[in-house]
Amino acid sequence: MSIPPKRIKHYLQFNDLSLEEYEYVIARAAEIKRKFKAYEIYHPLIDRTLVMVFDKNSTRTRLSFEAGMHQLGGAAIYLNTRDSQLGRGEPVEDAGQVMSRMCDIIMVRTFGQDIIERFAAHSRVPVINGLTNEHHPCQVFADIFTYIEHRGSIKGKVVAWVGDANNMLYSWLQAAEVFGFHVNVSTPHGYDMDMSLVSTDRYTFFANPSDACQGADLVNTDVWTSMGYEEENAARLKAFDGWIVDGAKMARAKPDALFMHCLPAHRGEEVAAEVIDGPQSVVWDEAENRLHVQKALIEYLLLGRLDTK
């Protein structure tokens, strides 16, 4: 009797996991982080290999995935498209077929979401979105984990998004639908949301960025010029004038509101130094938690639910 093949589960957008799955992976991330802090060896992925495909430069994504896979007992292989056949025109579909025959899980950091969707469609193993132009699910997952660590459940809370309508915002909007919170959105005129990427009504738009921060439990921003849009930098600096998250905007949020930024940050542009280096900022916990959340995610995608009783 043949054994039916295991269904492959990818993580390409935030809504690829259900609330129940997130709750499980969050509990695993907390336990994996505890082990890490206690220097407990935990190697559930011995002889498993992660391939990391980079179309875009990275600091936190590469370090967290590479270190995380090693800490789980596996191996991580770095591939930059400039140094592989993908950079010479090999079809994404072919690369997905070949790479997935030689490893156990793949992380891709690239430009268009269509690229990673095509790659995953031809992969025999789970594929994780390390960032695309449209979505950044791993970062928002780490952000929510960080909020829960500091303040408890995010259900019913208000998250203020001040700045560019980018991949972070679209993942936050998906997260709002999954976890049941609300997003106050403020983007400059001409840099509005792409409504084809919005599938929830759990948001309110504010033309004034200060108004978006009113009563918020969490204030979030990102660089004004994301990778791939560098030629627009001068125009963006002018258009985003007034969208800096400063002390005055944070004062309109709740007294115990947190500030987050996925980094790298430009002090004096999208965020004031008094905020990112201030007592409400949790950006360093947020950055570190990429490691723990992604380790739990990899464990789940490869091993499924573990009997942790």
Side-chain angles (χ1 to χ4, degrees):
M1 179 178 177
S2 62
I3 299 175
K6 177 184 176 183
R7 187 176 70 86
I8 299 169
K9 188 168 190 65
H10 302 299
Y11 188 63
L12 308 182
Q13 300 184 33
F14 194 91
N15 59 14
D16 282 341
L17 296 186
S18 67
L19 177 60
E20 183 184 18
E21 288 175 303
Y22 273 114
E23 289 173 343
Y24 169 78
V25 180
I26 285 170
R28 290 300 303 147
E31 175 61 13
I32 287 170
K33 182 174 183 177
R34 185 199 65 76
K35 291 178 183 292
F36 175 80
K37 296 294 186 180
Y39 294 96
E40 292 183 18
I41 294 174
Y42 180 58
H43 288 167
L45 299 183
I46 291 175
D47 203 31
R48 301 293 186 100
T49 302
L50 164 71
V51 168
M52 307 179 297
V53 182
F54 284 86
D55 238 348
K56 289 186 173 185
N57 295 333
S58 167
T59 299
R60 280 149 293 274
T61 297
R62 178 177 178 181
L63 183 58
S64 57
F65 272 105
E66 190 164 343
M69 193 63 182
H70 285 300
Q71 290 164 15
L72 292 172
I77 298 173
Y78 171 81
L79 285 180
N80 190 297
T81 52
R82 293 188 300 271
D83 305 321
S84 68
Q85 295 298 336
L86 276 170
R88 300 181 64 245
E90 181 173 23
V92 170
E93 293 81 359
D94 292 1
Q97 288 269 15
V98 173
M99 290 182 194
S100 64
R101 287 170 177 257
M102 299 184 185
C103 67
D104 301 282
I105 191 165
I106 301 170
M107 186 281 297
V108 180
R109 183 177 172 95
T110 188
F111 290 91
Q113 181 74 12
D114 66 299
I115 297 172
I116 198 170
E117 297 280 355
R118 288 159 50 207
F119 190 103
H122 290 80
S123 173
R124 292 183 167 199
V125 302
V127 176
I128 298 174
N129 182 351
L131 176 143
T132 61
N133 289 347
E134 294 86 356
H135 300 283
H136 200 356
C138 286
Q139 180 64 61
V140 173
F141 191 178
D143 294 356
I144 289 174
F145 179 78
T146 304
Y147 185 88
I148 292 171
E149 275 191 324
H150 283 267
R151 296 289 185 264
S153 175
I154 198 169
K155 182 178 181 180
K157 303 301 184 181
V158 175
V159 176
W161 179 266
V162 178
D164 193 19
N166 62 9
N167 50 11
M168 283 290 295
L169 173 57
Y170 299 125
S171 288
W172 270 111
L173 290 171
Q174 288 192 357
E177 188 66 26
V178 174
F179 280 87
F181 58 86
H182 195 82
V183 184
N184 287 352
V185 179
S186 184
T187 61
H189 178 68
Y191 295 88
D192 311 298
M193 292 186 291
D194 179 349
M195 297 310 296
S196 70
L197 297 174
V198 178
S199 55
T200 183
D201 60 0
R202 290 183 174 273
Y203 72 92
T204 304
F205 180 80
F206 293 85
N208 185 327
S210 293
D211 293 341
C213 298
Q214 183 66 43
D217 299 280
L218 169 61
V219 178
N220 212 323
T221 192
D222 193 2
V223 295
W224 291 342
T225 306
S226 299
M227 283 180 290
Y229 300 91
E230 288 82 2
E231 71 281 357
E232 302 176 8
N233 189 56
R236 283 173 173 264
L237 289 177
K238 184 177 180 180
F240 283 73
D241 184 38
W243 264 260
I244 183 173
V245 177
D246 53 18
K249 291 185 181 66
M250 287 301 298
R252 295 193 63 177
K254 289 183 179 177
D256 65 344
L258 300 178
F259 171 77
M260 291 189 188
H261 190 306
C262 62
L263 304 176
H266 301 94
R267 290 165 176 80
E269 287 187 15
E270 75 275 4
V271 61
E274 64 179 332
V275 172
I276 193 171
D277 299 318
Q280 292 173 280
S281 174
V282 291
V283 297
W284 314 122
D285 292 343
E286 179 188 2
E288 178 193 330
N289 282 334
R290 288 286 303 276
L291 172 70
H292 310 302
V293 162
Q294 288 162 189
K295 287 166 70 175
L297 178 64
I298 290 169
E299 179 193 74
Y300 176 64
L301 294 178
L302 287 180
L303 304 181
R305 287 177 178 263
L306 304 179
D307 183 1
T308 56
K309 294 181 181 179

